């Protein structure tokens, strides 16, 4: 046992204080330093982490968590229920998603040092799914209480309960984590150190792996066209696992408010016009899966029993004609996330022009794109979003009319409004038992796929490429974002 | 000379303030602000969240007030706080500046020394095979984009031959000290410095060659020759010295361009300098950090230009310092 893992992190995280910064790279590094109450299996069943057990009351409104005893922060202070209560208060102010997730919570209490009781306003089906480290990281109360959180010195030298401790960050070069010798799971972690290497250029990241300087390329580290080549290298293992909790789904926002796209038939025509198999096979090098609707097939209550949109340019043309489309200009915003997305933008433009649509590509960077989309200043725009395992957490927010709010991204920016859908998502979140929720969400999926508020493209797959000697790197549905506590190196 | 320097410093400060004001407005013209970027990354946004972020960044204040606060800070040598990276801007820049200075100054030295040397050779042997070879090579390096040269260099020297490291500033985890550390950094520096330097070297080669051929035709060179001076002395003391003036001018102007080139070089070679810091700050709309980098770069360019003016005097004593 022991050894060092060199992994790539891209882009360089702005900070490591997970409770305050929720971008991908931050979680990938800090998922080793901080922990949540629970983690989730690849099938998204809750697993113990800082909470060793939990129970739910008969009326599904009271959740009692028993915390693990003998857990200490990296500075030696004990982790207790007081830290949980403090973390929740802090997250409500600093973590938009956590606040939304906690909206159904009436009160949180700590009857003793190792028990936390959540009382909900009403039953909330996905409640046990909101405790993963990125969604609800635990923060040390003794270091943050009474301080200015945003300038707290521990933001740059984070203290958590996780298997690895922060050691060093040479900005622009690497982040070094070392084994937590007092970790509560005896014997773990097996690895002594992790170096997160910061290499900004995708081609240079591939070379770093090829020349043996790094051992792990987490999903999305290299351009897709490099994946098959790197996969064939000696002693290289590839896995698509570890994204089940996030289930990234790519789609095109379609501005339902104005112009030709306000007509459902034009939106359906777009679905028929786009060759999504081509996108998967050529642009994504065979990675991923063609999406059938608003839910990824990996999350709860997914159904494939929805209207189908195969690649059918003739049908698209017919629908456009029927809708009276006369070549009005339509603006397309690609996503500025690198080569693959740029090529995908070009392919979709080509598909749409083939059926007679007049497409103009608008080039912008990520910040500019977000601004335009949030201000509803677009016609078609690429995006991809995480689904967090449950339609109440990661799907409804994009389709219910209460989530229409100008100036913000990732809500219902397409402006779709359907009272029936609003009701289904409202009911689905609080319905019991599970079979009832299933029925509700299956119905919602059918209606949405018929209406095409957005054009679903692919369930994305971000393969992790690593040396085969790295074992057990990915053991949960949260994957490399969940820390390397189970990983070990084969000699 | 002192009064000349003092005068230039005062002018420099005025230019710097103008740059700060101009850049302050320029970066705010770009769509999207830091709050939008952070809300975007969080994968969730609601009004309270975005409003909180805007307040945190001071973006809820009127623009003139934001400018006043910023300029006041710069005047008192406070470049502000990067909420994005949760650290003072001066600290962030301070951490990265040495790497950029090492890269750009090495590249600058390589380009200038090699450029002048090759240019002199080309002019000395004008019309011969050597001249053609140097000119062709200079043209190739001048015409090739920096990122391309960088990638080809990596392929050849790192992947195929395994001579040089492909990325970074030092071997991570090696914990080297003293000479071994210097040698390690040196090995990491060769490719980025050469990549950045070759482009500028090409310019200096061509400029030196052209300038020397021009000076060679002038009367005083004939006089020198008539006096019976040796060819080497004529070339070095009469031709090169006069021919260097435009090269020095160009080098001064290049100070800014060099930093621009460093952005690309630092990205391809994962060199932890301020070029990359600037690039990341731009994508993240980290206004304070971006302005801080601009201010730093502007100061560097002003210093370079001051040095250029002083070097003029050294190269050509006929140039007087205007008081």
């Amino acid at each position: 046992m022991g050894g060092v893992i060199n992994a790539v992190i891209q882009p360089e995280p702005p900070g490591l204080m997970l409770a305050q910064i929720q971008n991908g790279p931050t979680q990938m590094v800090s998922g080793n330093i901080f922990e949540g109450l629970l983690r989730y299996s690849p099938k998204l069943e809750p697993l113990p982490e800082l909470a060793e057990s939990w129970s739910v009351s008969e009326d599904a409104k009271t959740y009692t968590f028993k915390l693990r005893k003998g857990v200490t922060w990296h500075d030696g202070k004990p982790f207790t229920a007081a830290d949980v209560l403090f973390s929740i208060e802090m997250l409500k102010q600093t973590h938009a998603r956590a606040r939304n997730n906690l909206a159904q919570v009436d009160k949180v209490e700590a009857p003793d040092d190792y028990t936390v009781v959540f009382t909900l306003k009403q039953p909330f089906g996905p409640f046990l799914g909101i405790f993963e480290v990125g969604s609800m990281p635990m923060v040390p109360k003794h270091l943050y209480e009474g301080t200015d959180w945003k300038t707290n010195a521990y933001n740059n030298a984070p203290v958590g309960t996780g298997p690895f401790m922060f050691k060093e960050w040479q900005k622009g070069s690497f982040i070094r984590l070392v084994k937590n010798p007092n970790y509560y799971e005896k014997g773990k972690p097996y690895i002594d150190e992790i170096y997160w290497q910061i290499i900004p250029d995708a081609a240079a990241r591939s070379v770093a792996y090829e020349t043996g300087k790094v051992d792990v390329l987490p999903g999305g580290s290299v351009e897709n066209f490099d994946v098959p080549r790197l996969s064939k290298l000696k002693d290289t293992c590839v896995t698509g696992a570890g994204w089940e909790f996030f289930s990234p789904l790519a789609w095109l926002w379609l501005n339902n408010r104005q112009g030709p796209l306000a007509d459902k038939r034009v939106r359906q025509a777009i679905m028929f016009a786009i060759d999504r198999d081509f996108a998967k096979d050529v642009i994504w090098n065979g990675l991923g899966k063609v999406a059938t609707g608003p839910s990824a097939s990996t999350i709860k209550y997914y159904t494939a029993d929805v209207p189908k949109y195969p690649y059918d340019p003739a049908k698209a043309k017919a629908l456009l004609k029927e809708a009276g489309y006369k070549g009005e200009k339509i603006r397309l915003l690609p996503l500025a996330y690198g080569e693959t997305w740029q090529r995908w933008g070009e392919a979709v433009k080509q598909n749409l022009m083939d059926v007679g649509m007049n497409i103009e590509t608008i080039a912008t960077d990520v910040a500019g794109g977000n601004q335009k989309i949030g201000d509803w200043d677009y016609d078609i725009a690429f995006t991809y979003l995480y689904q967090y395992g449950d339609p109440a957490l990661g799907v409804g927010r994009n389709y219910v009319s209460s989530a229409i709010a100008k100036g913000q991204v990732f809500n219902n920016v397409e402006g779709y409004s359907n009272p029936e859908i609003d009701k289904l998502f409202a009911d689905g979140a609080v319905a019991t038992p599970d079979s009832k929720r299933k029925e509700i969400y299956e119905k919602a999926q059918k209606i949405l796929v018929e209406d095409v508020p957005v054009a679903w493209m692919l369930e994305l797959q971000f393969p992790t490429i690593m040396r085969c000697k790295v074992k057990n790197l990915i053991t949960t549905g949260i994957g490399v974002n969940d820390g390397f506590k189970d990983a070990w190196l084969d000699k | 000379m002192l009064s000349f320097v003092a005068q230039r410093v005062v002018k420099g400060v005025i230019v710097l303030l103008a740059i700060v004001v101009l850049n302050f407005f320029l970066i705010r013209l770009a769509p999207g602000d830091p709050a939008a970027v952070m809300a975007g990354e969080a994968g969730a946004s609601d009004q309270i969240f975005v409003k909180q972020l805007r307040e945190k960044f001071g973006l809820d204040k009127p623009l003139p007030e934001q400018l006043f606060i910023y300029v006041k800070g710069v005047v008192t040598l406070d470049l502000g706080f990067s909420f994005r990276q949760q650290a003072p801007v001066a600290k962030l820049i301070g951490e990265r500046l040495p790497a950029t200075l090492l890269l750009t100054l090495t590249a600058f030295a390589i380009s200038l020394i090699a450029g002048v040397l090759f240019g002199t050779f080309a002019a000395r042997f004008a019309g011969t095979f050597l001249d053609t070879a140097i000119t062709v090579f200079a043209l190739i390096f001048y015409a090739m984009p920096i990122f391309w040269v960088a990638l080809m260099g990596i392929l050849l020297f790192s992947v195929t031959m395994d001579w040089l490291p492909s990325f970074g500033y030092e071997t991570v985890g090696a914990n080297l000290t003293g000479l071994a550390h210097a040698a390690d950094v040196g090995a990491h520096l060769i490719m980025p410095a050469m990549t950045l330097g070759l482009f500028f070297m090409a310019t200096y080669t061509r400029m030196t060659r052209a300038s020397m051929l021009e000076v060679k035709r002038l009367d005083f060179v004939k006089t020198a020759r008539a006096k019976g001076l040796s060819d080497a002395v004529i070339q070095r003391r009469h031709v090169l010295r006069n021919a260097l003036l435009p090269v020095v001018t160009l080098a001064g102007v290049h100070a800014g361009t060099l930093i621009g080139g460093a952005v690309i070089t630092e990205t391809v070679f994962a060199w932890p300098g301020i070029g990359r810091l600037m690039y990341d700050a731009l994508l993240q709309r980290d206004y304070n950090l971006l302005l801080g980098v601009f201010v730093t770069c502007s100061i560097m360019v002003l210093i370079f230009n001051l040095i250029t003016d002083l070097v003029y005097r050294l190269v050509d004593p006929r140039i007087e310092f205007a008081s």
Side-chain angles (χ1 to χ4, degrees):
Chain A
M1 292 299 163
V4 178
I5 289 186
N6 282 281
V8 152
I9 189 71
Q10 163 56 28
E12 180 165 19
L16 294 177
M17 183 48 186
L18 198 46
Q20 294 183 41
I21 300 172
Q22 293 94 45
N23 82 349
T26 299
Q27 175 162 5
M28 213 173 267
V29 176
S30 298
N32 290 286
I33 302 170
F34 294 101
E35 293 185 305
L37 294 184
L38 303 174
R39 12 176 24 196
Y40 302 99
S41 73
K43 288 186 175 158
L44 305 182
E45 302 135 338
L47 303 170
E49 187 144 66
L50 288 171
E52 60 182 3
S53 66
W54 52 94
S55 59
V56 189
S57 67
E58 280 281 312
D59 63 358
K61 279 164 70 173
T62 308
Y63 287 73
T64 306
F65 289 85
K66 288 283 177 197
L67 303 183
R68 214 183 271 268
K69 289 183 179 141
V71 177
T72 54
W73 294 99
H74 295 156
D75 62 1
K77 296 273 187 317
F79 164 77
T80 66
D83 291 308
V84 180
L85 298 197
F86 176 77
S87 302
I88 287 169
E89 279 318 302
M90 180 171 176
L91 292 167
K92 276 188 194 166
Q93 294 178 45
T94 59
H95 194 311
R97 192 155 52 80
R99 188 176 48 238
N100 294 340
N101 288 347
L102 290 164
Q104 298 295 340
V105 175
D106 184 32
K107 56 180 189 226
V108 194
E109 292 158 306
D112 63 58
D113 271 359
Y114 296 98
T115 310
V116 179
V117 181
F118 291 83
T119 311
L120 309 189
K121 295 171 191 158
Q122 53 187 334
F124 183 51
F127 191 68
L128 274 180
I130 67 168
F131 293 99
E132 155 271 345
V133 57
S135 309
M136 206 188 286
M138 290 297 120
V139 183
K141 180 182 176 186
H142 64 284
L143 299 179
Y144 277 86
E145 191 178 37
T147 68
D148 180 1
W149 300 341
K150 56 184 189 278
T151 55
N152 189 310
Y154 289 99
N155 291 343
N156 284 317
V159 171
T161 58
F164 292 91
M165 305 190 295
F166 174 81
K167 180 73 181 176
E168 184 185 7
W169 185 350
Q170 294 233 349
K171 292 279 168 82
S173 290
F174 63 86
I175 299 168
R176 180 180 168 208
L177 307 182
V178 296
K179 176 179 182 157
N180 173 3
N182 303 315
Y183 194 58
Y184 54 83
E185 281 189 60
K186 291 297 162 225
K188 283 186 184 175
Y190 307 118
I191 302 295
D192 295 326
E193 289 181 77
I194 307 171
Y195 280 97
W196 291 96
Q197 307 257 12
I198 298 152
I199 309 173
D201 182 66
R205 290 192 289 275
S206 296
V207 169
Y209 182 82
E210 272 181 281
T211 51
K213 299 288 186 291
V214 298
D215 314 305
V216 177
L217 295 169
S221 299
V222 295
E223 292 290 356
N224 282 314
F225 49 75
D226 256 352
V227 173
R229 189 172 64 83
L230 295 175
S231 307
K232 286 190 201 108
L233 293 176
K234 202 169 153 264
D235 294 329
T236 293
C237 290
V238 183
T239 174
W243 291 89
E244 296 81 359
F245 176 76
F246 301 101
S247 299
L249 186 71
W251 66 77
L252 303 175
W253 294 115
L254 305 175
N255 196 337
N256 288 212
R257 296 175 188 83
Q258 63 204 25
L261 269 58
D263 189 321
K264 180 167 101 181
R265 289 167 297 186
V266 175
R267 302 198 299 267
Q268 288 173 333
I270 290 173
M271 284 295 275
F272 283 117
I274 296 173
D275 189 349
R276 296 178 293 162
D277 281 307
F278 170 83
K280 176 174 78 80
D281 295 336
V282 178
I283 295 165
W284 286 86
N285 286 85
L287 300 166
K289 193 171 167 185
V290 171
T292 56
S295 282
S297 58
T298 38
I299 75 163
K300 282 182 181 163
Y301 319 122
Y302 164 81
T303 177
D305 181 19
V306 290
K308 297 283 186 290
Y309 295 94
Y311 175 52
D312 190 345
K315 196 154 185 182
K317 280 183 193 164
L319 277 165
L320 286 175
K321 197 173 170 193
E322 194 186 313
Y325 174 71
K326 292 191 181 60
E328 294 92 330
K329 191 194 282 172
I330 290 170
R331 294 162 300 168
L332 170 71
L333 257 69
L335 195 55
Y337 279 172
E339 285 280 321
T340 301
W341 291 89
Q342 199 174 333
R343 291 175 187 196
W344 202 0
E346 285 157 13
V348 162
K349 180 181 182 183
Q350 187 67 48
N351 278 159
L352 296 177
M353 287 176 75
D354 285 349
V355 297
M357 295 182 86
N358 178 8
I359 303 290
E360 182 195 16
T361 305
I362 309 280
T364 156
D365 68 354
V366 176
N370 282 346
Q371 178 95 3
K372 279 183 185 299
I373 293 169
D375 286 344
W376 307 341
D377 180 20
Y378 74 99
D379 295 314
I380 303 179
F382 272 88
T383 194
Y384 81 89
L385 282 183
Y386 291 160
Q387 300 210 312
Y388 305 111
D390 193 292
L393 300 179
V395 180
R397 60 178 173 158
N398 301 121
Y399 307 103
V400 296
S401 57
S402 59
I404 298 177
K406 198 169 187 171
Q408 289 142 46
V409 277
F410 304 135
N411 50 24
N412 181 348
V413 295
E414 75 273 20
Y416 174 73
S417 177
N418 179 346
E420 197 182 358
I421 284 294
D422 291 350
K423 185 165 181 343
L424 286 170
F425 276 101
D427 291 349
V430 300
T432 48
D434 233 28
S435 57
K436 181 75 183 151
R437 294 192 73 204
K438 184 170 187 294
E439 195 182 303
I440 291 171
Y441 287 122
E442 286 185 354
K443 189 171 174 198
Q445 286 174 68
K446 278 180 198 160
I447 296 170
L448 284 172
V449 176
E450 169 64 27
D451 282 355
V452 194
V454 306
W456 303 283
M457 299 278 109
L458 294 178
E459 293 178 19
L460 301 178
Q461 204 191 80
F462 299 132
T464 302
I465 301 172
M466 60 196 150
R467 310 260 172 242
C468 293
K469 68 174 182 183
V470 182
K471 306 285 185 196
N472 253 359
L473 185 70
I474 292 167
T475 52
T476 67
I478 308 157
V480 282
N481 290 295
D482 198 19
F484 290 4
K485 80 163 148 186
D486 301 313
W488 54 280
L489 288 171
D490 201 3
K491 299 281 177 195
Chain B
M1 179 178 152
L2 268 181
S3 76
F4 169 78
V5 173
Q7 208 179 47
R8 290 300 303 260
V9 169
V10 172
K11 274 185 193 163
V13 170
I14 297 169
V15 170
L16 195 63
L17 277 178
I19 291 171
V20 167
V21 174
L22 186 70
N23 282 327
F24 179 88
F25 287 109
L26 262 183
I27 56 179
R28 277 168 175 77
L29 280 180
D33 66 16
V37 176
M38 285 182 76
E41 285 173 346
S45 75
D46 55 39
Q47 254 144 1
I48 312 167
F49 188 60
V50 174
K51 191 166 162 279
Q52 271 179 357
L53 285 176
R54 296 226 159 96
E55 277 168 16
K56 197 163 115 174
F57 294 130
L59 296 172
D60 54 334
K61 296 191 174 74
L63 213 52
E65 195 185 333
Q66 290 182 41
L67 176 65
F68 178 73
I69 293 170
Y70 189 76
V71 172
K72 206 173 86 184
V74 171
V75 170
T76 56
L77 298 179
D78 174 11
L79 293 176
F81 194 84
S82 162
F83 287 107
R84 181 67 202 180
Q85 308 221 10
Q86 298 175 323
V89 168
K91 178 173 174 279
L92 291 168
I93 293 176
E95 284 170 350
R96 308 285 277 262
L97 194 58
T100 293
L101 284 178
L102 180 63
L103 172 63
T104 46
L105 291 180
T106 312
F108 190 67
I110 292 174
S111 62
L112 202 58
I113 294 169
V116 170
L117 214 59
F118 284 131
T120 311
F121 273 123
R124 175 77 185 76
F125 302 102
T128 66
F129 173 74
L130 186 69
D131 175 31
T132 316
I134 290 176
T135 309
V136 167
F137 270 105
L139 205 60
I140 287 174
F141 285 120
Y142 183 68
M144 278 201 293
I146 288 179
F147 73 90
W148 176 254
V149 176
L151 288 173
M152 290 305 110
I154 290 174
L155 269 184
L156 186 64
F157 295 110
S158 295
V159 180
T160 312
M161 305 211 265
D162 199 18
W163 285 359
L164 294 169
S166 67
F167 72 95
Y169 176 79
E170 60 194 333
T171 306
V172 172
N175 297 322
L176 300 169
T177 49
L179 271 181
H181 182 246
D184 184 46
V185 172
H188 283 82
L189 178 64
I190 293 174
M191 266 209 288
M194 287 299 283
T195 306
L196 187 56
L198 281 175
F199 175 81
F200 293 99
M201 184 201 78
T203 330
Y204 299 137
T205 304
R206 307 227 353 122
M207 179 61 97
T208 309
R209 179 184 179 275
S211 180
M212 280 190 73
L213 288 178
E214 201 160 304
V215 174
K216 258 183 169 176
R217 285 200 300 267
L218 297 180
D219 287 342
F220 70 87
V221 178
K222 278 189 199 129
T223 310
R225 211 176 290 281
K227 279 198 312 194
L229 290 179
S230 74
D231 190 51
V233 172
I234 294 173
Q235 294 288 343
R236 200 176 63 241
R237 291 193 38 197
H238 294 273
V239 182
L240 180 61
R241 200 151 177 184
N242 278 289
L244 271 185
L245 283 180
V247 178
V248 171
T249 312
L250 194 67
V253 174
H254 273 167
T257 325
L258 205 62
I259 294 166
V263 177
I264 302 169
T265 316
E266 288 178 4
T267 303
V268 177
F269 289 104
W271 188 262
I274 54 170
R276 263 177 61 205
L277 193 66
M278 171 159 69
Y279 179 75
D280 290 342
L282 175 68
L283 287 189
Q284 294 163 352
R285 302 289 189 269
D286 190 340
Y287 292 154
N288 279 356
L289 182 54
L290 196 55
L291 278 172
V293 176
F294 285 160
V295 168
T296 312
C297 292
S298 307
I299 292 174
M300 280 165 68
V301 171
L302 290 172
I303 292 174
F304 260 98
N305 282 333
L306 181 63
I307 294 173
T308 311
D309 285 342
L310 296 176
V311 169
Y312 265 161
R313 172 72 190 258
L314 280 180
V315 173
D316 190 344
R318 287 171 302 181
I319 296 173
E320 303 241 330
F321 291 118
S323 56

